[in-house]
Every structure is written in structure tokens, then in C-alpha cells.
Amino acid sequence: MNEPRAASTSPTNGGGGLSRRKFFKLAGMAAAGGAAGLLVPRNLPAAGGRRLSAAIDDSFWKRVQKEFIIDPEVVYMNIGTTGAMPQQVLERYHEYNTLAATHPRTFESELGATFGLEAQRATLADQFGCNMDEICLSRNTTDGLDAIVYGLEFARGDEILITHHEHIGALSPLNVIQDRYGVQITPVEIPVLNAKNGRQFIKAFKKNISKRTKAILFSHITYKTGTRLPAKALCEMARENGLISIVDGAHCPGMIALDFHDMGCDFYAGPGHKWQCGPGCTGILYLRNHGGNLPRFWTQNSSTYTFAVQTCGNERGAFDIAYSLQYRGQLNIPAQLAMMDACNMWEEIGRENIEAYVCGLSSYLKRSLKKRFGGQGILFSPDVPELNSGLTSFNPFDDITDGGKIKEMVHHLDEAGYQVRYTNFLVGLNDPTDTYALRISTHLFHDKTHVDGLVTALYDTYTRMAG
Ligand SMILES: Cc1ncc(COP(=O)(O)O)c(C=O)c1O
């Protein structure tokens, strides 16, 4: 196992040379997004952000891979659950924590009353294609979805359409408003075994819209099969039908490039700790605050409602909705600053470049599985560019409802040094039993050799178990 490179300060050395002055520079850079240099200057001649594409080749990705300290003895392929911080982000996180411990007053007084949160939102707005008053950091996807679902106004009999592959993080707040207010939650059956294009998903939703439908909620990429839904077209369909669009983006920030204005969604909740590889308890929350038909919203779990929203009579568009959700009492500022460092690092690599790398590797995995298993088993993740993602779900066995076999396989793969997880889901909405699949995540710290190794281990395990 690789030893992590020594962090530049130690918590026991009273700041270890990390003076208040240097701290201000660090914290200011992270907050404002000016921390360029996390990756590029050490490795490449001057280049930045999306301009890097010309310099992208295998050696570049090798350098990116080296930024991660993840245990090389284990091939970690469960980013869908949580990611891993790159070394430099971890070092910064440590430095921020050290400063918070050695100069607690500094955090409060010298970072400013707003802890640099405005600068963070300006940076995020720039990176995710929206305005500053529409984006803030949350604690994770679940936290963002809670803020959205509980913030919206629904009445008894209103209906929200969801896919039949949503995560409990979205289902839980939906079930609360179902039980509390009598809102009907209607699952729409989306294509699973026969997903070929985005139009199928639009059709599935469209035919379920009724007079009572008020909103749609869908995963941009489902956690069950890794299928990418046509978010822009679904949001357009919602708009045309006067519906609110809510997107669960748990598997998107840090994996695919996002432009919220281009997507046209009303609300989008994502994590910072999964594909974006920020610290735990960080997330990204988008709330449209411009254009027509802004839905009435009651800011929840916030310490600013009283003076930021109530003073405007809670009139949508009249207040900064992201600001209204930015403060939830005392925050984990070091984690937020480190999250911004991770975001800035991703910008340096180029978010389109990352998407191409991650989805390219995932497509390679899908093709390799098909080749190695010669048609045996079922690949639940479509290898179609518009539906592809960094998640791959596969079951090699004849009986795809046998959960015991898939769980055993996860265990054997773990013993062989490959960490993946399983998911279970209904293929058809009215199926009597769940189907099971292995779910494999491929990210920046992987390359084709990892994928080849996994496919071999998977095939060996399969032949042993089948024989
Ligand atoms: C689709 C989906 N939504 C929500 C969540 C919850 O994510 P978080 O841990 O960021 O709250 C997950 C977690 O894996 C997920 O897959």
C-alpha cells in the first residue's frame, strides 16, 4: 500500500508554518476558485481549464491517476457510493482543519462573516452554467433533495411522476409528503432491458401526465443500472406541460459536464463526495431563480429565511434562493473549501475531458464484458453514447433474480482485490421479484488494465461458481 505523501502541516505543530497570512491565501483561493495549480503547473506547461484538451494523452491521464492516494492493493470500483479525495485536496483539507483548530477566530473574523461562501457560489455558478443566486453547497444529494421536496408547495391530490428506479434519498421525502399531505407519487416504468435512446424515456413520462400532475422527479443517471436519462429533453417536456422538474444528480457532478441553464431544470441535487471526489458531507444544490414560472418555495433548514426571504414576502425571483439555503447554522467550512479545491482541480483537467475519459472507460468495460462472456449474462447499462455513464451493471448468471449468487460474487471479487457493489431493482414496474446485478464504477484513478483485471476476475469467479 502506498503511504500518503506527508501533508504539509501537522495538527500538533501549532500550524506548522502555516501562518495566518498563508491561510488567508489558501482559503481565499479555494473559495474564489483561484487555486489553479493543484494539478496543472506541477505537471504541464501553462494551460488551464477546458483549454487542456490539446495536451490530453495517455501520459496526462497517468499524471491525473497519480494524484490519487487510493490503496493500489485494492481496485476500488464503488465510486457510486463514495469517491476518494486526491492527495492535494486532502492536504488542503488538512490545512484548513489545522487552521480552524489553531486560529478558530480567524475563520469567523478574517474569512469574513460569510466565510467566503459568496465566492464559492460565484465559482460554482461559473463551473455549472448558472447564476450565483441559483447554486450553493449542500451536505449531499439527500440533503439537497430534502430541501427541494419539502420546500415546494404541494396539495392533497397533486401528483409527482418519478421513474421506477429512484433512490431512497429521493423516495423518503416524497413518501413524507405523500403521507403528510396526500400527494400521490406515481412511478413511471422506464426501459431497462431495451433502452436504446432518450426518446423512449420521454414517451414513458409523457403518457403518464394527467391534470393532477404537478412535477416530475428523475435520476439523471440511475443508481440501479447506470442508465443516463435525457435530462434536457425531460425538463423541456416538463416545461411544455407546466410541470416542475426535479433532478436527482447523485452520479453526475464530477463525472459528466453539467450546464444547468442549458439543461433547463428547475431543481438539481448532487453530491460533492462521489464522482467529484470532495470530502464527505458536501454537495451541490441548484435552484432555478430566473425566467418565468418560478414555483413557490418555502426555504427549509435555513438560518436566513427570516431576513433573506420573509422580508421579500417570499416572492420568487425577489430574493437570492441559493443564499437562503446557504446557511444551516454552523457549517463545515474546511470541507466546503476542500470541495472547492476538488472542483477547481476538475476544471483544470476539464470537465468534458473527464466525462469523455470516464464514459470511454465504462464503454470499454461494457464491450469487454460482452466479449469475455460471449453473450452470456445481461448488461443492464446501455452502451449507447447518449445513455452511457461511468456505472456498469451486469449479471452473468442465468437466473438474474438470484440475489444470493450476486452477493457471493461481490464477496469473491472483494477477495480478489476488486471492490464493487450490487444493486437490486424491478426490471418491469409490475415484476413480482427483484433482479440483481453487480454495479461497477470506473473513474479517473482507473485505466484499461484495471478494467481488464476486473473482467478476468469476474469471469474466473463466474466459471468457479457456475462449475
Ligand atoms: C440516485 C441516488 N440518489 C441519492 C443518493 C444519496 O446520495 P448522498 O449520499 O449524496 O446523499 C444516492 C446514493 O448513492 C443515489 O445513488
Side-chain angles (χ1 to χ4, degrees), residues 80 140-142 145 167 169 219 221 223 248 250-251 271 273-274:
N140 48 45
T141 320
T142 308
L145 288 168
H167 186 270
S219 294
I221 293 172
Y223 82 103
D248 176 342
H251 300 286
H273 64 93
K274 293 185 194 280

Side-chain angles (χ1 to χ4, degrees), residues 123-195:
T123 301
L124 289 173
D126 197 39
Q127 297 188 4
F128 291 96
C130 62
N131 296 4
M132 183 182 157
D133 60 355
E134 300 178 304
I135 195 160
C136 63
L137 288 180
S138 62
R139 289 184 294 213
N140 48 45
T141 320
T142 308
D143 179 49
L145 288 168
D146 280 357
I148 296 164
V149 173
Y150 296 136
L152 286 165
E153 235 177 40
F154 293 109
R156 178 166 297 279
D158 285 351
E159 181 186 52
I160 301 176
L161 299 181
I162 63 173
T163 79
H164 76 305
H165 275 193
E166 293 312 319
H167 186 270
I168 197 70
L171 294 177
S172 277
L174 290 174
N175 287 334
V176 170
I177 62 166
Q178 174 175 267
D179 294 350
R180 189 170 181 189
Y181 302 117
V183 176
Q184 184 172 327
I185 311 300
T186 307
V188 166
E189 180 173 317
I190 52 168
V192 176
L193 294 176
N194 56 346

Side-chain angles (χ1 to χ4, degrees), residues 299-308 324-330:
T299 294
Q300 308 275 310
N301 186 22
S302 152
S303 38
T304 58
Y305 176 79
T306 308
F307 62 85
S324 81
L325 276 158
Q326 179 73 82
Y327 296 92
R328 300 165 164 85
Q330 189 65 36

